[in-house]
Amino acid sequence: MKKNKTKVAMILGLCAAFGAGSAIAGLQAFELENTEQPQCGYKDDRGKVIVPAKYYGCGGFSEGMARVAIMKMGMVKGYDGGEDYEDYLYWQGYINEAGKLVIPVEYQAPMTGGYYIDFRDFQEGMVAAYKDGKYGYMNKAGKMTIPYLYQSAGDFNDGLAVVSKNDKFGAIDKTDKTVVPFKFDWLDDYSEGLARYNTSTLGDEDSKTGFIDTSGKTVIAAKWDEAMEFSEGLSAVKTGDYRSGKWGVIDKKGKVIVSPKYDMAYIEPMGDAVDIDGGRYENGKLDVYNLNTQSTSAYDNGYDSITRYTLDRQGKVLSKKTYTDWNEIDQERYPQND
């Protein structure tokens, strides 16, 4: 449910099929090579196959459970009253740390945007499940504790899950009690006790972003054109439009720690990737970027180099480095992809 490239979906193809393993569980996901369709399973630390490679997707472990998925043909409900049609559908279940399938692979992972698979993982002992166009929640025993009632459903954070019905967003607790009224046009999952909201429907150029607490009270007024969720007590925020806006940093009271002056606070991956890279404090540091124009040979999008600044929690620049392009940054961050 993230405005900035939702983190709950996964990409079709290998990225959807193969998730990170888990050191905690002692099982690591592996994928067979040279197969027509992705096939994956799990091995233990000694390389012994515990779960045969019979799945389309193998997720990492979350709270002792790992998602496994298959793909098969099925009927898809027609949009807005249209005719149903046959297409590939994606189904997920869950194994435990011993590799035992404890929740059958019979819960649909719907397609979003036409090319994202909405795979889900457990969080705070619950996971969102989908059926016939509605979401509910199940526990680790596979019992539906919250029925299929909602148009959309986020993960539980701080004991609350952001959900929507009748095109309005609110938040419920684990007993399905409404805690935050359904009055928002868009509301993000909670992070560190605060959730982003928008003043108008997602995608509206005039929309502004602010933050509410777990009671639904506005604690930071909606004045930012874009904002990241809070991490380590701070949030990267933006003023201005997509191309020319500037990023800064605020604290949980809305106090400006870093005045908006940076071109980017996160990296947008190439292709159809869903999640963004960066934009959140980790170990007291945040990377931000400026696009530099120094000559007439600048790229079509208006820059010929990129400077990365690493900020501390007070906004002080700890280090900076200039790169030729995003590929150079990507190669440094992910040398294993070369």
Side-chain angles (χ1 to χ4, degrees):
M1 298 179 66
K2 301 293 182 190
K3 182 181 180 183
N4 298 303
K5 312 287 184 182
T6 64
K7 66 182 181 182
V8 297
M10 296 190 70
I11 302 299
L12 282 170
L14 296 180
C15 291
F18 190 60
S22 169
I24 295 176
L27 295 182
Q28 304 288 331
F30 73 95
E31 184 178 15
L32 295 182
E33 298 180 356
N34 302 319
T35 58
E36 191 170 312
Q37 291 291 340
Q39 290 179 259
C40 60
Y42 293 83
K43 296 179 179 180
D44 64 16
D45 293 336
R46 295 168 294 180
K48 179 182 178 181
V49 174
I50 304 300
V51 179
K54 60 181 180 180
Y55 294 108
Y56 172 86
C58 296
F61 280 87
S62 175
E63 299 186 356
M65 307 282 276
R67 162 185 48 79
V68 291
I70 62 173
M71 178 178 63
K72 63 181 180 180
M73 295 295 290
M75 295 304 298
V76 180
K77 291 184 68 65
Y79 177 73
D80 198 21
E83 290 186 6
D84 295 349
Y85 60 94
E86 190 176 35
D87 202 350
Y88 282 109
L89 298 178
Y90 302 86
W91 303 86
Q92 60 189 355
Y94 298 86
I95 63 170
N96 62 15
E97 293 178 330
K100 180 181 178 181
L101 185 66
V102 291
I103 297 178
V105 186
E106 57 185 29
Y107 295 92
Q108 188 180 349
M111 297 288 291
T112 60
Y115 47 96
Y116 299 134
I117 312 171
D118 192 11
F119 287 135
R120 296 300 184 100
D121 294 311
F122 276 90
Q123 192 157 323
E124 296 190 3
M126 306 277 278
V127 67
Y130 177 88
K131 183 179 180 180
D132 297 333
K134 299 289 185 181
Y135 287 88
Y137 291 86
M138 78 169 79
N139 62 20
K140 290 184 179 181
K143 179 182 178 181
M144 292 298 300
T145 57
I146 297 176
Y148 298 103
L149 297 171
Y150 300 105
Q151 290 174 308
S152 64
D155 296 328
F156 271 94
N157 291 284
D158 302 315
L160 298 178
V162 171
V163 294
S164 67
K165 61 181 180 180
N166 301 321
D167 298 322
K168 292 292 183 181
F169 287 80
I172 58 174
D173 66 15
K174 292 180 181 178
T175 69
D176 198 26
K177 176 184 176 182
T178 299
V179 178
V180 176
F182 289 84
K183 63 178 183 179
F184 295 93
D185 291 311
W186 180 81
L187 188 64
D188 193 16
D189 292 343
Y190 277 88
S191 176
E192 299 189 356
L194 297 177
R196 296 178 291 176
Y197 75 95
N198 280 82
T199 57
S200 58
T201 55
L202 189 62
D204 189 331
E205 292 183 359
D206 295 325
S207 176
K208 300 293 183 180
T209 302
F211 292 84
I212 63 171
D213 63 17
T214 54
S215 70
K217 177 183 177 182
T218 299
V219 293
I220 298 175
K223 61 185 250 183
W224 304 103
D225 291 291
E226 193 171 347
M228 297 297 294
E229 67 268 24
F230 272 89
S231 55
E232 299 186 6
L234 299 169
S235 169
V237 293
K238 181 180 182 180
T239 58
D241 61 26
Y242 178 80
R243 294 186 64 86
S244 61
K246 300 295 183 180
W247 287 85
V249 177
I250 61 172
D251 65 16
K252 285 189 172 183
K253 294 183 179 179
K255 178 183 177 182
V256 175
I257 305 300
V258 178
S259 298
K261 59 182 177 181
Y262 296 103
D263 293 326
M264 299 186 69
Y266 57 80
I267 298 173
E268 294 182 277
M270 301 294 289
D272 292 330
V274 247
D275 206 1
I276 59 173
D277 185 349
R280 306 165 182 89
Y281 270 88
E282 293 183 12
N283 301 316
K285 298 178 182 179
L286 172 72
D287 288 339
V288 291
Y289 306 85
N290 271 343
L291 310 179
N292 310 312
T293 301
Q294 299 175 345
S295 69
T296 56
S297 64
Y299 297 143
D300 290 340
N301 50 6
Y303 65 91
D304 52 18
S305 65
I306 305 158
T307 300
R308 182 193 68 201
Y309 300 86
T310 299
L311 310 181
D312 67 12
R313 289 174 47 80
Q314 288 72 47
K316 178 182 177 181
V317 176
L318 299 174
S319 64
K320 68 177 182 179
K321 184 176 180 179
T322 298
Y323 301 84
T324 302
D325 54 31
W326 292 112
N327 286 332
E328 187 177 352
I329 296 176
D330 187 63
Q331 290 170 4
E332 181 181 274
R333 293 172 72 92
Y334 306 105
Q336 68 274 19
N337 293 341
D338 291 342

